[in-house]
């Protein structure tokens, strides 16, 4: 599922988030200035793909709009746990965790007045696979659906359970089947949902406007009347806009500007740790880095902790395994043990290991997107040079990076820096980034693993019992930390800055849920 960004996809590779000249859109940024206007301005950190059909959209910044126009069958709360929304409660689970029966809220209706029915939910589950969309892998474990009646739906998973189903897959965004299938192109640019806001206007590559739906079926009534989404990809430009009151909220605060905005009168900061995994992967397919001692040496050559403290402490947190801390809060893997297992900064040990296990002229190629990961690559190259080896850092655009790291060729790279964002389940990280089926797709380290390594990753997704899955996954995680096909780097925070007249704004761990403007735990207003 790797694909070109700057867009941050829902469950995909993260690239740099680097600035692109915003001259063409800078004039489009404008806010109420004092909270007195009727329109709430939200400045996004990256451009949208302008795909607003949830079945096909795989772009986080389009989904920030989608999540306000549509309702999910279940939706993530502020703690990344799914709560019923269009469902009346928890599903009935039968057939050893392979059959789910959902009850749909009878009061729910779409913006065109049509009832939300079980057929609509069934279509939302199955269309991504049937239409071969980029979201297919999120639903391809579903074998069949059966509409029992207008408000009951049965979903069968086949012979095996699917571990992440109750933690993530049930959070499907529900679309009106008849309206969507009548004209998919029209639906993509002028969607009809059942959420608290209706789609109002789209000026492609400029702005999207949505309006409060006064006949919203739920008890929640948004305080805000109208929302305008505009993108400003230049971090310095976003900071200038919020300081000058040219917008009400910006997303994506640069690390170096955190302290500036924290001391700014009239500005409030918001942050939530996200389920992101930033990492440096080693080429385990060809070349010297196929040797774990060489990988260990490189990890000894620099201090990840020092790098984070000097380059990203305000908006990043260290990681010690491929499972983000916010996800680990649900699972409880022994992070302290993993931290102790990772190589500490020890240049003498790094040099000794390289002298023994690497060629005399070893100068690894590191490929990376620009931004903080390019800074990390340069830090590693500097520390490698200090022990007599060095490294060649190649900063690539994302399309070139994908073509390069998926080759597995030692002529192309020995290390690459990327990132991944997922949900509250280890499967999103372990299967996508370490299972052999994902070679040349989502990962390019080509790590063979011990006997049973890949089988265990596959087995973990086919169990519905969390304790059983923990026992399957923990040795897999431990092996990754020990053998270092990928060195954990840091997790990113979702950050926002708002003018102080914006009330009750909270950062959500899941980037697609920002801004959460109305929910059981918040209702944003401008006062």
């Amino acid at each position: 599922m790797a694909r070109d960004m700057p867009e941050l996809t829902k469950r995909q590779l993260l690239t740099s988030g680097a600035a692109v000249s915003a001259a063409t859109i800078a004039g489009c940024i404008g806010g109420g200035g004092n909270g007195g206007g009727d329109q709430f301005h939200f400045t996004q950190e990256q451009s949208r793909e302008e795909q607003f059909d949830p079945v096909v959209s795989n772009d986080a910044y389009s989904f920030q709009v989608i999540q306000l126009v549509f309702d999910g069958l279940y939706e993530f709360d502020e703690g990344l746990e799914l709560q019923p929304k269009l469902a009346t409660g928890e599903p009935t689970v039968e057939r050893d965790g392979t059959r789910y029966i959902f009850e749909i809220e009878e009061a729910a209706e779409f913006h065109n007045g049509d009832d939300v029915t079980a057929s609509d939910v069934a279509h939302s589950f199955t269309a991504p696979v049937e239409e071969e969309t980029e979201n297919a892998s999120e639903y391809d474990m579903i074998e069949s659906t059966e509409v029992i009646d207008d408000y009951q739906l049965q979903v069968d998973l086949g012979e095996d359970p699917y571990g992440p189903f109750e933690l993530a897959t049930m959070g499907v965004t529900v679309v009106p089947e008849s309206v969507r299938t009548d004209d998919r192109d029209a639906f993509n640019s002028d969607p009809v949902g059942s959420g608290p806001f209706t789609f109002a206007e789209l000026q492609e590559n400029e702005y999207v406007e949505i309006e409060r739906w006064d006949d919203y079926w739920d008890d929640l009534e948004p305080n805000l009347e109208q929302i305008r989404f505009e993108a400003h990809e230049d971090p310095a430009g976003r900071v200038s806009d919020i300081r000058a009151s040219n917008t009400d909220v910006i997303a994506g605060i640069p690390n170096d500007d955190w302290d500036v905005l924290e001391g700014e009168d009239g500005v409030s900061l918001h942050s939530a740790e996200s389920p992101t995994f930033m990492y440096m992967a080693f080429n385990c397919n060809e070349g010297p880095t196929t040797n774990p001692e060489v990988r260990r040496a490189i990890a000894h050559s620099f201090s990840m902790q020092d790098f984070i403290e000097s380059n990203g402490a305000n908006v990043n947190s260290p990681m010690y395994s491929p499972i983000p801390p916010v996800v680990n809060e649900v699972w409880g893997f022994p992070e302290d043990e993993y931290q102790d297992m990772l190589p500490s900064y020890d240049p003498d040990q790094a040099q000794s290991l390289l002298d023994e296990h690497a060629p005399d002229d070893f100068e690894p190629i590191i490929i990376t997107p620009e931004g903080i990961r390019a800074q990390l690559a340069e830090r590693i190259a500097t520390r490698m040079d200090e022990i007599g080896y060095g490294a060649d850092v190649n900063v690539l655009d994302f399309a070139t990076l994908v073509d390069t790291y998926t080759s597995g060729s030692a002529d192309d790279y020995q290390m690459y820096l990327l990132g991944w964002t997922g949900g509250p389940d280890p499967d999103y990280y372990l299967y996508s980034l370490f299972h052999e089926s994902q070679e040349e797709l989502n990962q390019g380290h080509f790590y063979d693993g011990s006997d049973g390594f890949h089988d265990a990753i596959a087995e973990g997704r086919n169990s519905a019992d969390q304790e059983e899955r923990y026992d399957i996954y923990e040795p897999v995680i431990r092996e990754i930390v020990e053998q270092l096909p990928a060195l954990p780097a840091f997790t990113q925070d979702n950050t926002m800055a708002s003018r102080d007249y914006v009330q009750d704004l909270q950062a959500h761990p899941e980037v697609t849920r920002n801004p959460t403007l109305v929910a059981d735990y918040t209702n944003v207003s401008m006062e």
Side-chain angles (χ1 to χ4, degrees):
M1 297 196 308
R3 44 192 296 248
D4 190 10
M5 314 259 282
E7 295 85 358
L8 171 61
T9 54
K10 289 191 293 174
R11 288 179 172 80
Q12 290 188 342
L13 293 172
L14 294 169
T15 61
S16 63
V20 178
S21 172
T24 58
I25 60 171
C28 299
I29 302 291
N34 57 14
D38 294 331
Q39 191 175 73
F40 177 84
H41 288 245
F42 183 78
T43 301
Q44 297 173 285
E45 61 189 299
Q46 298 288 346
S47 297
R48 301 172 303 274
E49 281 191 349
E50 311 292 37
Q51 288 191 331
F52 302 103
D53 176 357
V55 172
V56 301
S57 180
N58 204 2
D59 157 39
Y61 300 104
S62 295
F63 242 88
Q64 289 180 338
V65 181
I66 287 170
Q67 57 99 9
L68 294 167
V69 174
F70 292 84
D71 284 326
L73 185 61
Y74 296 81
E75 294 182 351
F76 286 121
D77 64 13
E78 68 272 39
L80 274 183
E81 294 185 6
L82 286 179
Q83 303 296 335
K85 184 63 178 180
L86 289 170
T88 60
E90 298 303 315
T92 301
V93 184
E94 299 177 348
R95 214 177 62 175
D96 297 325
T98 63
R99 171 170 291 169
Y100 291 81
I101 299 174
F102 299 97
E103 297 276 348
I104 315 301
E105 289 279 3
E106 294 189 20
E109 62 179 31
F110 293 107
H111 300 149
N112 64 355
D114 291 346
D115 291 341
V116 178
T117 68
S119 293
D120 299 310
V121 181
H123 176 72
S124 304
F125 271 127
T126 59
V129 178
E130 292 172 350
E131 298 171 21
E132 299 181 346
T133 74
E134 292 174 341
N135 299 322
S137 63
E138 297 182 30
Y139 304 101
D140 61 7
M141 78 296 301
I142 296 174
E143 183 178 80
S144 64
T145 60
E146 179 183 342
V147 174
I148 299 172
D149 58 37
D150 283 350
Y151 301 103
Q152 287 191 91
L153 175 68
Q154 177 178 301
V155 176
D156 288 340
L157 305 185
E159 294 182 1
D160 296 313
Y162 178 65
F165 192 84
E166 293 185 42
L167 292 176
T169 311
M170 294 193 320
V172 62
T173 304
V174 177
V175 299
E177 179 181 16
S178 61
V179 178
R180 179 181 178 273
T181 55
D182 182 59
D183 189 336
R184 293 176 188 168
D185 290 339
F187 186 81
N188 192 49
S189 59
D190 188 16
V192 175
S194 64
F197 293 88
T198 62
F199 209 81
E201 183 178 0
L202 168 65
Q203 291 293 328
E204 288 196 11
N205 303 314
E206 293 187 27
Y207 65 84
V208 178
E209 290 182 356
I210 60 176
E211 297 176 345
R212 182 174 66 198
W213 184 30
D214 290 329
D215 294 326
Y216 186 41
W217 65 272
D218 198 3
D219 292 335
L220 298 173
E221 182 178 346
N223 289 323
L224 298 173
E225 295 181 10
Q226 189 178 69
I227 321 298
R228 174 178 281 212
F229 291 84
E230 298 185 38
H232 200 159
E233 294 179 327
D234 176 19
R238 291 197 304 277
V239 171
S240 296
D241 284 328
I242 195 66
R243 296 182 73 185
S245 295
N246 289 333
T247 186
D248 300 314
V249 179
I250 65 168
I253 302 172
N255 179 73
D256 292 344
D257 291 303
W258 184 274
D259 292 339
V260 173
L261 291 178
E262 196 170 35
E264 182 84 8
D265 288 341
V267 174
S268 299
L269 302 185
H270 315 269
S271 178
E273 196 172 86
S274 74
T276 53
F277 168 45
M278 301 295 175
Y279 60 92
M280 179 175 71
F282 293 94
N283 188 335
C284 300
N285 189 54
E286 294 181 357
T289 49
T290 59
N291 185 335
E293 296 302 321
V294 173
R295 303 197 292 267
R296 201 164 288 116
I298 295 170
H300 274 305
S301 71
F302 72 103
S303 171
M304 187 74 76
Q305 183 68 39
D306 287 351
F307 173 80
I308 295 170
E309 289 178 1
S310 61
N311 290 270
N314 292 314
V315 296
N316 299 302
S317 303
M319 288 185 65
Y320 309 112
S321 86
I323 308 303
V326 69
V327 178
N328 201 53
E329 289 177 10
V330 179
W331 289 80
F333 296 111
E335 280 188 324
D336 291 345
E337 292 183 27
Y338 303 149
Q339 182 179 1
D340 291 340
M341 291 163 56
L342 288 170
S344 60
Y345 177 48
D346 188 340
D348 292 337
Q349 178 70 358
Q351 183 175 355
S352 176
L353 288 170
L354 289 175
D355 288 347
E356 181 178 356
H357 298 284
D360 293 340
D361 60 350
F362 181 56
E363 188 170 324
I365 300 170
I366 307 175
I367 59 173
T368 177
E370 58 185 333
I372 190 171
R373 276 157 291 186
Q375 296 171 9
L376 176 56
E378 293 290 354
R379 174 70 63 91
I380 295 168
T382 298
R383 295 293 182 259
M384 292 279 287
D385 184 67
E386 291 172 354
I387 60 174
Y389 285 90
D392 182 14
V393 176
N394 293 339
V395 180
L396 306 176
D397 66 83
F398 191 60
T400 304
L401 186 68
V402 169
D403 290 340
T404 305
Y405 85 83
T406 53
S407 74
S409 171
D411 292 334
D412 292 334
Y413 68 95
Q414 281 72 53
M415 295 113 81
Y416 64 89
L417 287 101
L418 275 176
W420 193 263
T421 184
D425 195 288
D427 179 76
Y428 286 119
Y429 308 90
L430 299 180
Y431 190 85
S432 299
L433 297 179
F434 296 97
H435 192 262
E436 58 191 356
S437 66
Q438 303 302 297
E439 293 173 356
E440 301 183 59
L441 296 174
N442 294 327
Q443 57 96 342
H445 50 72
F446 296 87
Y447 175 63
D448 285 338
S450 62
D451 289 343
F453 177 83
H454 298 284
D455 290 341
I457 293 174
E459 181 186 358
R461 62 178 8 209
N462 291 328
S463 171
D465 184 274
Q466 187 163 331
E467 290 185 5
E468 180 180 309
R469 297 180 73 215
Y470 177 100
D471 291 338
I472 294 169
Y473 284 142
E474 202 284 323
V476 169
I477 297 170
R478 188 172 293 268
E479 179 173 335
I480 292 168
V481 175
E482 287 178 340
Q483 299 299 315
L484 295 178
L487 175 68
F490 51 85
T491 186
Q492 290 184 320
D493 297 338
N494 287 325
T495 58
M496 296 185 289
S498 65
R499 298 303 304 183
D500 58 5
Y501 52 76
V502 176
Q503 303 295 309
D504 295 328
L505 182 70
Q506 301 177 32
H508 196 280
E510 170 57 55
V511 66
T512 63
R513 303 299 301 180
N514 286 316
T516 298
L517 300 181
V518 58
D520 291 336
Y521 55 88
T522 191
N523 196 342
V524 174
S525 62
M526 295 193 295
E527 299 178 4

